[in-house]
Amino acid sequence: MNDKRLIRIFSHPPVLTTERLILRELRKTDAKDMFEYAGRRDVVKFLTWEAHPDEEYTRRFLEFVSGKYKEGTYFDWAVIKRSEGKGRDAEPPKMIGTCGFTRIDTQNFTAEIGYVINPDYRGHGYAPEACEAVLDFAFNKLEMNRVEARYIIGNDASRRVMDKLGMRFEGVLRESLYLRGDFRNVGICSILEPDYYHTHH
């Protein structure tokens, strides 16, 4: 894997599908659904970014992202819950979060995975389901050797997702993050390609 190939892949991010979800590139039309959770303080409590002040801010962020996609330097997908029901009772597809890579180190064949799910849709296994598709992409398409994930200590829900993915806890990076006036401890988990194939096939 080299940087040129990575840029080529992510300048037109492929659509990933699971039983209940579609992962596709973020669009400006996602602003309303994204602001629904990105504007919430409880959502960003364990994240490094601040809550979006209004929907216009979210729209501008999505415009910025579309430019990053063109450069092939943005590695996140929108997580879309597929429509449920039939006919008039059918729910339209809903953007319920994002999942993708916060960092890809082609030289060392390592990627870091990140995810955010709207709290109204938590508890249904959507985060592990989206992450499974992204892990599969990391090992099969990007030929990564290692995928890691970090979480601020106290974010037990995020750690549970990592456990469900078969990731191994590696330790705590003590006070490695300065966030909102405090030094925070960060946990790190990872899965290696051989472990992935052993547990997923």
Side-chain angles (χ1 to χ4, degrees):
M1 166 58 67
N2 60 44
D3 287 342
K4 277 185 182 164
R5 183 168 165 245
L6 188 71
I7 286 166
R8 202 162 56 244
I9 290 168
F10 281 98
S11 57
H12 300 286
V15 174
L16 311 180
T17 56
T18 71
E19 193 184 335
R20 300 178 297 166
L21 304 170
I22 296 165
L23 277 68
R24 55 127 172 100
E25 64 184 60
L26 287 152
R27 298 172 185 157
K28 286 178 225 171
T29 49
D30 293 325
K32 185 175 179 292
D33 285 349
M34 181 179 244
F35 180 65
E36 218 174 271
Y37 66 85
R40 289 173 59 161
R41 288 233 174 106
D42 59 326
V43 168
V44 302
K45 183 181 176 190
F46 291 112
L47 300 174
T48 53
W49 45 274
E50 298 301 327
H52 293 191
D54 50 46
E55 202 177 306
E56 182 51 39
Y57 180 93
T58 307
R59 197 170 288 108
R60 284 200 307 274
F61 168 72
L62 290 167
E63 277 172 18
F64 165 78
V65 164
S66 71
K68 288 285 178 193
Y69 277 136
K70 286 190 185 101
E71 294 169 8
T73 56
Y74 194 77
F75 315 124
D76 242 353
W77 283 270
V79 177
I80 311 296
K81 182 176 173 284
R82 292 172 185 255
S83 334
E84 284 179 8
K86 296 239 170 90
R88 282 187 192 160
D89 299 329
E91 287 175 20
K94 171 97 178 161
M95 190 269 199
I96 60 166
T98 58
C99 186
F101 305 108
T102 52
R103 188 174 56 85
I104 298 176
D105 176 353
T106 54
Q107 200 176 343
N108 295 300
F109 298 88
T110 295
E112 185 181 333
I113 198 170
Y115 41 88
V116 184
I117 297 289
N118 183 331
D120 296 346
Y121 294 87
R122 284 183 193 159
H124 301 285
Y126 292 129
E129 190 172 324
C131 288
E132 282 283 0
V134 172
L135 273 185
D136 182 69
F137 189 79
F139 290 120
N140 288 314
K141 293 287 186 292
L142 301 181
E143 296 160 359
M144 291 288 126
N145 175 60
R146 168 186 167 95
V147 176
E148 58 189 42
R150 295 168 193 240
Y151 66 101
I152 294 172
I153 297 299
N155 191 353
D156 299 334
S158 191
R159 170 66 196 274
R160 278 195 297 274
V161 171
M162 295 168 198
D163 290 341
K164 282 178 187 165
L165 295 170
M167 289 186 147
R168 191 181 295 180
F169 177 67
E170 291 186 339
V172 176
L173 307 168
R174 295 178 308 145
E175 298 192 0
S176 61
L177 181 67
Y178 184 67
L179 185 66
R180 301 182 191 107
D182 266 331
F183 288 103
R184 312 295 288 273
N185 296 330
V186 175
I188 184 163
C189 297
S190 77
I191 186 165
L192 302 180
E193 186 196 31
D195 306 336
Y196 175 78
Y197 283 114
H198 181 68
T199 56
H200 291 70
H201 292 88

